[in-house]
Coordinates of all heavy atoms in Angstrom, one line a residue:
M4 N 113.8 119.3 132.8 CA 112.9 119.7 131.8 C 113.6 119.6 130.5 O 114.7 120.1 130.3 CB 112.4 121.1 132.1 CG 111.4 121.6 131.0 SD 111.0 123.4 131.3 CE 110.2 123.3 132.9
L5 N 112.9 119.1 129.5 CA 113.5 119.0 128.1 C 113.3 120.4 127.4 O 112.2 121.0 127.5 CB 112.7 117.9 127.4 CG 113.2 117.6 125.9 CD1 114.6 117.1 125.9 CD2 112.2 116.6 125.3
L6 N 114.3 120.9 126.8 CA 114.3 122.1 126.1 C 114.4 121.8 124.6 O 115.2 121.0 124.2 CB 115.5 123.0 126.5 CG 115.5 123.5 127.9 CD1 116.7 124.3 128.2 CD2 114.2 124.3 128.2
I7 N 113.6 122.5 123.9 CA 113.5 122.3 122.4 C 113.8 123.7 121.7 O 113.2 124.7 122.1 CB 112.2 121.8 121.9 CG1 111.9 120.4 122.6 CG2 112.1 121.7 120.4 CD1 110.5 119.9 122.3
R8 N 114.6 123.6 120.7 CA 115.0 124.9 120.0 C 114.0 125.2 118.9 O 113.9 124.3 118.0 CB 116.4 124.9 119.6 CG 116.8 126.2 118.9 CD 118.3 126.4 118.7 NE 118.6 127.7 118.4 CZ 118.8 128.7 119.1 NH1 118.7 128.6 120.5 NH2 119.1 129.9 118.7
C9 N 113.2 126.2 118.9 CA 112.4 126.6 117.8 C 113.2 127.3 116.8 O 113.9 128.4 117.1 CB 111.2 127.5 118.2 SG 110.2 128.1 116.8
P10 N 113.3 126.9 115.6 CA 114.2 127.5 114.5 C 113.7 128.8 114.1 O 114.4 129.6 113.4 CB 114.2 126.5 113.4 CG 113.0 125.7 113.6 CD 112.7 125.7 115.0
Y11 N 112.4 129.1 114.4 CA 111.9 130.4 114.0 C 112.0 131.4 115.1 O 112.5 132.6 114.8 CB 110.4 130.3 113.6 CG 110.2 129.4 112.4 CD1 109.7 128.1 112.6 CD2 110.4 129.9 111.2 CE1 109.5 127.3 111.5 CE2 110.2 129.0 110.1 CZ 109.8 127.8 110.2 OH 109.6 126.9 109.2
C12 N 111.8 131.1 116.3 CA 112.0 132.0 117.4 C 113.5 132.1 117.9 O 113.9 133.0 118.6 CB 111.2 131.5 118.6 SG 109.4 131.5 118.3
E13 N 114.2 131.0 117.4 CA 115.7 130.9 117.8 C 115.9 131.0 119.3 O 116.8 131.7 119.7 CB 116.5 132.1 117.0 CG 116.4 131.9 115.5 CD 117.2 132.9 114.7 OE1 117.6 133.9 115.3 OE2 117.4 132.7 113.6
Q14 N 115.1 130.2 120.0 CA 115.3 130.1 121.5 C 115.1 128.6 121.9 O 114.3 127.9 121.2 CB 114.3 131.0 122.2 CG 114.4 132.5 122.0 CD 113.3 133.2 122.7 OE1 112.2 132.7 122.8 NE2 113.6 134.4 123.2
D15 N 115.8 128.3 123.0 CA 115.6 127.0 123.6 C 114.4 127.1 124.6 O 114.5 127.9 125.5 CB 116.8 126.5 124.2 CG 118.0 126.2 123.3 OD1 117.6 125.7 122.2 OD2 119.1 126.5 123.6
L16 N 113.3 126.5 124.4 CA 112.1 126.7 125.2 C 111.6 125.3 125.8 O 111.9 124.3 125.2 CB 111.0 127.3 124.3 CG 111.5 128.7 123.8 CD1 110.6 129.1 122.6 CD2 111.4 129.7 124.8
P17 N 110.8 125.4 126.9 CA 110.3 124.1 127.5 C 109.4 123.3 126.6 O 108.7 123.9 125.8 CB 109.5 124.7 128.7 CG 109.9 126.1 128.9 CD 110.4 126.6 127.5
E18 N 109.5 122.0 126.7 CA 108.8 121.1 125.8 C 107.3 121.3 125.9 O 106.6 121.0 124.8 CB 109.2 119.7 126.1 CG 108.7 119.2 127.5 CD 109.1 117.8 127.8 OE1 108.6 116.9 127.0 OE2 109.8 117.5 128.6
V19 N 106.8 121.8 126.9 CA 105.3 122.1 127.1 C 104.8 123.0 126.1 O 103.6 123.1 125.8 CB 104.9 122.4 128.5 CG1 105.2 121.3 129.5 CG2 105.6 123.7 128.9
E20 N 105.6 123.8 125.4 CA 105.2 124.8 124.4 C 105.1 124.1 123.1 O 104.6 124.7 122.1 CB 106.2 126.0 124.3 CG 106.3 126.8 125.5 CD 107.0 128.1 125.2 OE1 107.2 128.4 124.0 OE2 107.4 128.8 126.2
F21 N 105.5 122.9 123.0 CA 105.5 122.2 121.7 C 104.6 121.0 121.6 O 104.3 120.4 122.5 CB 106.9 121.8 121.3 CG 107.9 122.9 121.3 CD1 108.5 123.4 122.4 CD2 108.2 123.5 120.1 CE1 109.5 124.4 122.4 CE2 109.2 124.6 120.0 CZ 109.7 125.0 121.2
T22 N 104.2 120.7 120.3 CA 103.4 119.5 120.1 C 104.0 118.7 119.0 O 104.4 119.2 117.9 CB 102.0 119.9 119.6 OG1 101.4 120.9 120.5 CG2 101.0 118.8 119.4
Y23 N 104.1 117.3 119.3 CA 104.7 116.4 118.3 C 103.6 116.3 117.2 O 102.4 116.1 117.4 CB 104.9 115.0 119.0 CG 105.4 114.0 118.0 CD1 106.6 114.0 117.6 CD2 104.5 112.9 117.7 CE1 107.1 113.0 116.6 CE2 104.9 111.9 116.9 CZ 106.2 111.9 116.4 OH 106.7 111.0 115.6
A24 N 104.1 116.3 116.0 CA 103.2 116.2 114.8 C 103.6 115.0 113.8 O 103.2 115.1 112.6 CB 103.2 117.5 114.1
G25 N 104.2 114.0 114.3 CA 104.4 112.8 113.5 C 105.8 112.8 112.8 O 106.6 113.7 113.0
E26 N 106.0 111.8 111.9 CA 107.2 111.7 111.2 C 107.3 112.8 110.2 O 106.3 113.2 109.5 CB 107.3 110.3 110.5 CG 108.6 110.0 109.8 CD 108.6 108.5 109.3 OE1 107.9 107.7 109.7 OE2 109.4 108.3 108.3
A27 N 108.5 113.3 110.0 CA 108.8 114.4 109.0 C 109.0 113.8 107.6 O 109.3 112.6 107.4 CB 110.0 115.2 109.4
H28 N 108.9 114.7 106.6 CA 109.2 114.3 105.2 C 108.3 113.3 104.6 O 108.7 112.5 103.8 CB 110.6 114.0 105.0 CG 111.6 115.0 105.6 ND1 111.7 116.3 105.0 CD2 112.3 115.1 106.7 CE1 112.6 117.0 105.7 NE2 113.0 116.3 106.7
I29 N 107.0 113.3 105.0 CA 106.0 112.4 104.4 C 105.2 113.3 103.4 O 104.5 114.1 103.7 CB 105.0 111.8 105.5 CG1 105.8 111.1 106.6 CG2 104.0 110.9 104.8 CD1 106.4 109.8 106.2
A30 N 105.5 113.0 102.1 CA 105.0 113.8 101.0 C 103.6 113.2 100.7 O 103.5 112.0 100.4 CB 105.9 113.8 99.9
R31 N 102.6 114.1 100.6 CA 101.2 113.6 100.1 C 101.3 113.2 98.6 O 101.9 114.0 97.8 CB 100.3 114.7 100.3 CG 98.8 114.3 99.8 CD 97.9 115.5 100.2 NE 96.5 115.1 99.6 CZ 95.6 114.4 100.2 NH1 95.9 114.0 101.5 NH2 94.4 114.2 99.7
P32 N 100.8 112.1 98.2 CA 100.9 111.7 96.8 C 100.2 112.8 95.9 O 99.2 113.4 96.3 CB 100.0 110.4 96.8 CG 100.1 109.9 98.1 CD 100.2 111.1 99.0
L33 N 100.8 113.0 94.7 CA 100.2 114.0 93.8 C 98.8 113.7 93.3 O 98.0 114.5 93.1 CB 101.2 114.2 92.6 CG 102.6 114.8 93.0 CD1 103.5 114.8 91.8 CD2 102.4 116.1 93.6
D34 N 98.6 112.4 93.1 CA 97.3 112.0 92.6 C 96.8 110.8 93.5 O 96.9 109.6 93.1 CB 97.4 111.5 91.1 CG 96.1 111.2 90.5 OD1 95.0 111.4 91.2 OD2 96.0 110.7 89.4
P35 N 96.1 111.1 94.6 CA 95.7 110.0 95.5 C 94.7 109.1 94.9 O 94.7 107.9 95.2 CB 95.0 110.8 96.7 CG 95.6 112.2 96.6 CD 95.9 112.4 95.2
A36 N 93.9 109.5 94.0 CA 92.9 108.6 93.3 C 93.5 107.6 92.5 O 92.9 106.5 92.2 CB 91.9 109.4 92.5
A37 N 94.8 107.7 92.1 CA 95.5 106.8 91.3 C 96.1 105.7 92.1 O 96.7 104.7 91.5 CB 96.6 107.5 90.4
L38 N 96.1 105.8 93.4 CA 96.8 104.8 94.2 C 95.9 103.6 94.6 O 94.7 103.8 94.6 CB 97.2 105.5 95.6 CG 98.2 106.6 95.5 CD1 98.4 107.0 97.0 CD2 99.5 106.3 94.8
S39 N 96.5 102.5 94.7 CA 95.8 101.3 95.2 C 95.5 101.5 96.7 O 96.1 102.4 97.4 CB 96.7 100.1 95.0 OG 97.7 100.1 95.9
D40 N 94.6 100.6 97.2 CA 94.3 100.7 98.6 C 95.5 100.5 99.5 O 95.7 101.1 100.5 CB 93.2 99.7 99.0 CG 91.9 100.1 98.5 OD1 91.7 101.2 98.0 OD2 91.0 99.2 98.4
E41 N 96.4 99.5 99.0 CA 97.6 99.3 99.8 C 98.5 100.5 99.8 O 99.2 100.8 100.8 CB 98.3 98.1 99.2 CG 97.6 96.8 99.4 CD 96.4 96.6 98.5 OE1 96.3 97.2 97.4 OE2 95.5 95.8 98.8
Q42 N 98.7 101.2 98.7 CA 99.6 102.4 98.6 C 99.0 103.5 99.5 O 99.7 104.2 100.1 CB 99.7 102.8 97.2 CG 100.5 101.8 96.3 CD 100.4 102.2 94.8 OE1 99.4 102.5 94.3 NE2 101.5 102.2 94.1
W43 N 97.7 103.6 99.5 CA 97.0 104.7 100.2 C 97.2 104.3 101.7 O 97.5 105.2 102.5 CB 95.6 104.8 99.9 CG 94.9 106.0 100.5 CD1 93.8 105.9 101.4 CD2 95.2 107.4 100.4 NE1 93.4 107.1 101.8 CE2 94.2 108.1 101.2 CE3 96.1 108.1 99.7 CZ2 94.3 109.4 101.4 CZ3 96.1 109.5 99.8 CH2 95.2 110.1 100.6
E44 N 97.0 103.1 102.1 CA 97.1 102.6 103.4 C 98.6 102.9 103.9 O 98.8 103.5 105.0 CB 96.9 101.2 103.6 CG 97.1 100.6 105.0 CD 97.0 99.1 105.0 OE1 96.9 98.5 104.0 OE2 97.0 98.6 106.1
K45 N 99.6 102.7 103.1 CA 101.0 102.9 103.4 C 101.2 104.4 103.7 O 101.9 104.8 104.7 CB 101.9 102.3 102.3 CG 103.4 102.5 102.6 CD 104.2 101.9 101.6 CE 105.7 102.0 101.9 NZ 106.6 101.7 100.9
Y46 N 100.7 105.2 102.8 CA 100.9 106.7 102.9 C 100.2 107.2 104.3 O 100.8 108.0 105.0 CB 100.2 107.4 101.8 CG 100.0 108.9 102.1 CD1 101.1 109.8 102.2 CD2 98.7 109.4 102.3 CE1 100.9 111.1 102.6 CE2 98.5 110.7 102.5 CZ 99.7 111.6 102.7 OH 99.4 112.9 103.0
L47 N 99.1 106.7 104.6 CA 98.4 107.1 105.8 C 98.9 106.6 107.1 O 99.0 107.3 108.1 CB 96.9 106.8 105.7 CG 96.0 107.5 104.7 CD1 94.6 107.0 104.7 CD2 96.0 109.0 105.0
F48 N 99.3 105.3 107.1 CA 99.5 104.7 108.4 C 100.9 104.1 108.7 O 101.4 104.0 109.8 CB 98.6 103.5 108.6 CG 97.2 104.0 108.5 CD1 96.3 103.6 107.5 CD2 96.6 104.8 109.5 CE1 95.0 103.9 107.4 CE2 95.3 105.2 109.4 CZ 94.5 104.8 108.4
V49 N 101.7 103.8 107.6 CA 103.0 103.1 107.8 C 104.1 104.1 108.1 O 104.3 105.0 107.3 CB 103.4 102.2 106.6 CG1 104.7 101.5 106.9 CG2 102.3 101.1 106.5
R50 N 104.7 104.0 109.2 CA 105.8 105.0 109.6 C 107.0 104.2 110.0 O 106.9 103.0 110.4 CB 105.3 105.9 110.7 CG 104.1 106.7 110.4 CD 104.5 107.7 109.3 NE 103.5 108.6 108.9 CZ 102.7 108.4 107.8 NH1 102.9 107.4 106.9 NH2 101.8 109.3 107.5
A51 N 108.2 104.8 110.0 CA 109.4 104.2 110.2 C 109.6 103.7 111.6 O 110.1 102.6 111.9 CB 110.6 105.2 109.9
N52 N 109.2 104.5 112.6 CA 109.3 104.2 114.1 C 110.7 103.6 114.5 O 110.8 102.4 115.0 CB 108.2 103.2 114.5 CG 108.0 103.1 115.9 OD1 108.4 104.0 116.7 ND2 107.5 102.1 116.4
P53 N 111.8 104.3 114.1 CA 113.1 103.7 114.4 C 113.5 103.7 115.8 O 113.0 104.5 116.6 CB 114.0 104.6 113.5 CG 113.4 105.9 113.6 CD 111.9 105.6 113.6
R54 N 114.5 102.9 116.1 CA 115.2 103.1 117.5 C 116.4 103.9 117.2 O 117.3 103.4 116.5 CB 115.5 101.6 118.0 CG 116.2 101.7 119.3 CD 116.5 100.2 119.7 NE 117.5 100.2 120.8 CZ 117.1 100.3 122.1 NH1 115.9 100.5 122.4 NH2 118.1 100.3 123.0
G55 N 116.4 105.1 117.7 CA 117.6 105.9 117.4 C 117.2 107.2 116.7 O 116.1 107.8 117.1
R56 N 118.0 107.6 115.8 CA 117.8 108.9 115.1 C 116.6 108.9 114.3 O 116.3 108.0 113.5 CB 119.0 109.0 114.2 CG 119.3 110.4 113.7 CD 120.6 110.5 112.9 NE 121.0 111.8 112.7 CZ 120.6 112.5 111.6 NH1 119.8 111.9 110.7 NH2 121.1 113.7 111.4
H57 N 115.7 109.9 114.5 CA 114.4 110.0 113.8 C 114.1 111.4 113.4 O 114.2 112.4 114.2 CB 113.4 109.5 114.8 CG 112.0 109.3 114.2 ND1 110.9 109.7 114.8 CD2 111.6 108.8 113.0 CE1 109.8 109.4 114.0 NE2 110.3 108.9 112.9
N58 N 113.7 111.6 112.1 CA 113.3 112.9 111.6 C 111.8 113.1 112.0 O 110.9 112.3 111.6 CB 113.4 113.0 110.1 CG 114.9 113.2 109.7 OD1 115.6 112.2 109.7 ND2 115.3 114.4 109.4
E59 N 111.5 114.2 112.8 CA 110.1 114.4 113.2 C 109.7 115.8 112.9 O 110.4 116.7 112.7 CB 110.1 114.2 114.8 CG 110.5 112.9 115.2 CD 110.7 112.7 116.7 OE1 110.9 113.7 117.4 OE2 110.5 111.6 117.2
R60 N 108.3 115.9 112.9 CA 107.7 117.2 112.7 C 107.2 117.6 114.0 O 106.5 116.9 114.8 CB 106.5 117.0 111.7 CG 106.0 118.2 111.1 CD 105.2 117.9 109.8 NE 104.9 119.1 109.2 CZ 103.7 119.5 108.8 NH1 102.7 118.8 109.2 NH2 103.4 120.7 108.3
W61 N 107.4 118.9 114.4 CA 106.9 119.5 115.6 C 106.3 120.8 115.3 O 106.5 121.4 114.3 CB 108.1 119.7 116.6 CG 108.6 118.4 117.2 CD1 109.4 117.5 116.6 CD2 108.3 117.9 118.5 NE1 109.6 116.5 117.5 CE2 109.0 116.7 118.6 CE3 107.6 118.4 119.5 CZ2 108.9 116.0 119.8 CZ3 107.4 117.7 120.7 CH2 108.1 116.4 120.9
R62 N 105.4 121.3 116.3 CA 104.8 122.6 116.2 C 105.0 123.4 117.4 O 104.9 122.8 118.5 CB 103.2 122.4 115.9 CG 102.6 123.7 115.8 CD 101.1 123.6 115.3 NE 100.6 124.9 115.1 CZ 99.4 125.3 115.6 NH1 98.7 124.5 116.4 NH2 99.0 126.5 115.4
H63 N 105.4 124.6 117.3 CA 105.5 125.5 118.5 C 104.2 126.0 118.8 O 103.9 127.2 118.6 CB 106.5 126.6 118.2 CG 107.0 127.4 119.3 ND1 107.9 128.4 119.2 CD2 106.7 127.2 120.6 CE1 108.0 128.9 120.4 NE2 107.4 128.2 121.3
S64 N 103.4 125.2 119.4 CA 101.9 125.5 119.6 C 101.6 126.7 120.4 O 100.8 127.5 120.1 CB 101.2 124.2 120.2 OG 101.5 123.1 119.4
F65 N 102.4 126.8 121.5 CA 102.1 127.9 122.4 C 103.3 129.0 122.3 O 103.6 129.7 123.3 CB 102.1 127.3 123.9 CG 101.0 126.4 124.1 CD1 101.2 125.0 124.0 CD2 99.7 126.9 124.2 CE1 100.1 124.1 124.1 CE2 98.6 126.0 124.3 CZ 98.8 124.6 124.3
G66 N 103.7 129.2 121.1 CA 104.7 130.3 120.7 C 104.3 130.8 119.5 O 103.1 131.3 119.3
C67 N 105.2 130.7 118.5 CA 104.9 131.3 117.2 C 103.8 130.5 116.3 O 103.3 131.0 115.4 CB 106.2 131.4 116.3 SG 107.0 129.8 116.0
G68 N 103.6 129.2 116.8 CA 102.6 128.4 116.1 C 103.0 127.7 114.8 O 102.2 127.1 114.1
R69 N 104.3 127.8 114.5 CA 104.8 127.3 113.2 C 105.3 125.9 113.4 O 105.7 125.4 114.4 CB 105.9 128.2 112.7 CG 105.4 129.6 112.5 CD 106.5 130.5 111.9 NE 106.6 130.2 110.5 CZ 107.3 130.9 109.6 NH1 108.1 131.9 110.0 NH2 107.4 130.5 108.3
F70 N 105.1 125.1 112.2 CA 105.7 123.8 112.1 C 107.1 123.8 111.8 O 107.5 124.7 111.0 CB 104.9 123.0 111.1 CG 103.6 122.5 111.5 CD1 102.4 123.3 111.3 CD2 103.4 121.3 112.2 CE1 101.2 122.9 111.7 CE2 102.1 120.9 112.6 CZ 101.0 121.7 112.4
F71 N 107.9 122.9 112.3 CA 109.3 122.7 111.9 C 109.7 121.3 112.0 O 108.9 120.4 112.5 CB 110.2 123.6 112.8 CG 110.2 123.3 114.2 CD1 111.0 122.4 114.8 CD2 109.2 123.9 115.1 CE1 111.0 122.1 116.1 CE2 109.1 123.5 116.4 CZ 110.0 122.7 117.0
N72 N 110.9 120.9 111.6 CA 111.4 119.6 111.7 C 112.5 119.4 112.7 O 113.2 120.5 113.0 CB 111.9 119.1 110.3 CG 110.7 119.0 109.3 OD1 109.6 118.6 109.6 ND2 111.1 119.4 108.1
A73 N 112.7 118.2 113.2 CA 113.7 118.0 114.2 C 114.3 116.6 114.0 O 113.6 115.7 113.5 CB 113.2 118.2 115.6
V74 N 115.5 116.5 114.4 CA 116.1 115.1 114.4 C 116.3 114.8 115.9 O 117.0 115.5 116.6 CB 117.5 115.1 113.7 CG1 118.1 113.7 114.0 CG2 117.4 115.4 112.3
R75 N 115.6 113.8 116.4 CA 115.6 113.4 117.8 C 116.0 111.9 117.9 O 115.6 111.1 117.1 CB 114.2 113.5 118.4 CG 114.1 113.3 119.9 CD 112.7 113.6 120.4 NE 111.8 112.7 119.9 CZ 111.4 111.4 120.4 NH1 111.9 111.1 121.5 NH2 110.5 110.7 119.8
D76 N 116.8 111.6 118.9 CA 117.1 110.3 119.2 C 116.1 109.7 120.1 O 115.8 110.2 121.2 CB 118.5 110.2 120.0 CG 119.0 108.8 120.1 OD1 118.2 107.9 120.7 OD2 120.2 108.5 119.7
T77 N 115.4 108.6 119.6 CA 114.2 108.1 120.4 C 114.7 107.3 121.6 O 113.8 107.0 122.4 CB 113.4 107.2 119.4 OG1 114.2 106.1 118.9 CG2 112.9 107.9 118.3
V78 N 116.0 107.0 121.7 CA 116.4 106.3 122.9 C 116.7 107.2 124.0 O 116.3 107.1 125.1 CB 117.7 105.4 122.5 CG1 118.2 104.7 123.8 CG2 117.3 104.4 121.5
S79 N 117.5 108.2 123.7 CA 117.9 109.2 124.7 C 117.0 110.4 124.9 O 117.1 111.1 125.9 CB 119.3 109.7 124.4 OG 119.3 110.5 123.2
D80 N 116.1 110.5 123.9 CA 115.2 111.7 123.9 C 115.9 113.0 123.6 O 115.3 114.1 123.9 CB 114.3 111.7 125.2 CG 112.9 112.4 124.9 OD1 112.5 112.4 123.8 OD2 112.4 112.9 125.9
K81 N 117.1 113.0 123.2 CA 117.9 114.2 122.9 C 117.6 114.7 121.5 O 117.6 113.9 120.5 CB 119.3 114.1 123.1 CG 119.7 113.9 124.6 CD 121.2 114.0 124.8 CE 121.4 113.9 126.3 NZ 122.8 114.0 126.6
F82 N 117.4 116.0 121.3 CA 117.3 116.7 120.0 C 118.6 117.0 119.5 O 119.5 117.6 120.1 CB 116.4 117.9 120.1 CG 115.0 117.6 120.3 CD1 114.4 117.2 121.4 CD2 114.1 117.8 119.2 CE1 113.1 117.0 121.6 CE2 112.8 117.5 119.3 CZ 112.2 117.1 120.5
E83 N 118.9 116.4 118.3 CA 120.2 116.7 117.7 C 120.2 118.0 117.0 O 121.1 118.8 117.1 CB 120.5 115.6 116.6 CG 121.8 115.6 115.8 CD 121.9 114.5 114.8 OE1 121.7 113.4 115.2 OE2 122.2 114.8 113.7
V84 N 119.1 118.3 116.3 CA 119.0 119.6 115.5 C 117.5 119.8 115.2 O 116.8 118.9 115.1 CB 119.9 119.6 114.2 CG1 119.4 118.5 113.3 CG2 119.9 120.9 113.6
T85 N 117.2 121.1 115.1 CA 115.9 121.5 114.6 C 116.1 122.4 113.4 O 117.1 123.1 113.3 CB 115.0 122.2 115.7 OG1 115.7 123.4 116.1 CG2 114.8 121.3 116.9
Y86 N 115.2 122.3 112.4 CA 115.3 123.1 111.2 C 113.9 123.5 110.7 O 112.9 122.8 111.0 CB 116.2 122.4 110.2 CG 115.7 121.0 109.8 CD1 115.1 120.7 108.7 CD2 116.1 119.9 110.7 CE1 114.7 119.4 108.3 CE2 115.7 118.6 110.3 CZ 115.0 118.4 109.1 OH 114.7 117.1 108.8
K87 N 113.9 124.5 109.9 CA 112.6 125.1 109.3 C 112.0 124.1 108.3 O 112.7 123.4 107.6 CB 112.9 126.4 108.7 CG 113.3 127.5 109.7 CD 113.6 128.7 109.0 CE 114.1 129.8 110.0 NZ 114.5 131.1 109.3
A88 N 110.7 124.1 108.3 CA 109.9 123.3 107.3 C 110.3 123.7 106.0 O 110.5 124.9 105.7 CB 108.4 123.5 107.6
G89 N 110.5 122.7 105.1 CA 110.9 123.0 103.7 C 112.4 122.9 103.5 O 112.8 122.8 102.3
E90 N 113.2 122.9 104.5 CA 114.6 122.6 104.4 C 114.8 121.1 104.2 O 114.0 120.3 104.6 CB 115.3 123.0 105.7 CG 115.4 124.6 105.8 CD 116.2 125.0 107.0 OE1 116.9 124.2 107.6 OE2 116.1 126.3 107.3
P91 N 115.9 120.8 103.5 CA 116.2 119.3 103.2 C 116.4 118.5 104.5 O 116.8 119.1 105.6 CB 117.5 119.3 102.5 CG 117.8 120.7 102.2 CD 116.9 121.6 103.0
R92 N 116.1 117.2 104.4 CA 116.3 116.3 105.6 C 117.7 116.4 106.1 O 118.7 116.5 105.3 CB 116.0 114.9 105.1 CG 116.2 113.8 106.1 CD 116.1 112.4 105.5 NE 114.8 112.2 105.0 CZ 113.8 111.6 105.7 NH1 114.1 111.1 106.9 NH2 112.6 111.4 105.2
K93 N 117.8 116.5 107.4 CA 119.2 116.5 108.0 C 119.5 115.2 108.7 O 118.7 114.4 109.0 CB 119.3 117.7 109.0 CG 119.0 118.9 108.3 CD 119.5 120.1 109.2 CE 119.3 121.4 108.3 NZ 119.9 122.6 108.8
Ligands
LIG127 ZN1 108.6 129.4 117.6

């Protein structure tokens, strides 16, 4: 069973308590109406999808309910680190 550390609860917990929420550190444009269709499409749909180290957003859905970020290796599925939302990219 895969264990994920919630940075708020400060516990390693089973993955079934968590929900993947996409790539981390995707900032919403300040003025979406000023973007071209291509720029808006890129913001909505284009993601890095790397092989290896990946910054991801997760939610402790069946625990504290809070969103946090994690660095996970997409090949080995191992979590390198988890950190609170709002902290700089690791
Ligand atoms: Zn939690």
Side-chain angles (χ1 to χ4, degrees):
M4 176 186 301
L5 183 63
L6 296 176
I7 300 173
R8 183 164 191 84
C9 175
Y11 297 101
C12 298
E13 297 183 344
Q14 294 179 327
D15 295 321
L16 298 161
E18 65 179 299
V19 294
E20 291 193 17
F21 297 87
T22 306
Y23 176 72
E26 186 175 338
H28 305 288
I29 304 290
R31 182 177 174 84
L33 294 176
D34 185 8
L38 300 181
S39 68
D40 287 346
E41 290 77 21
Q42 290 169 318
W43 185 244
E44 177 188 10
K45 183 177 179 186
Y46 162 70
L47 288 178
F48 302 114
V49 177
R50 298 295 179 258
N52 197 23
R54 177 179 168 84
R56 199 173 190 276
H57 189 222
N58 287 76
E59 301 173 331
R60 196 161 188 242
W61 285 79
R62 182 173 184 231
H63 192 183
S64 306
F65 298 99
C67 64
R69 300 183 79 171
F70 283 92
F71 61 93
N72 295 323
V74 177
R75 183 177 65 91
D76 189 306
T77 60
V78 177
S79 66
D80 207 23
K81 288 192 176 181
F82 283 75
E83 182 182 308
V84 65
T85 59
Y86 53 102
K87 295 176 181 177
E90 290 182 10
R92 178 187 293 265
K93 297 197 177 193

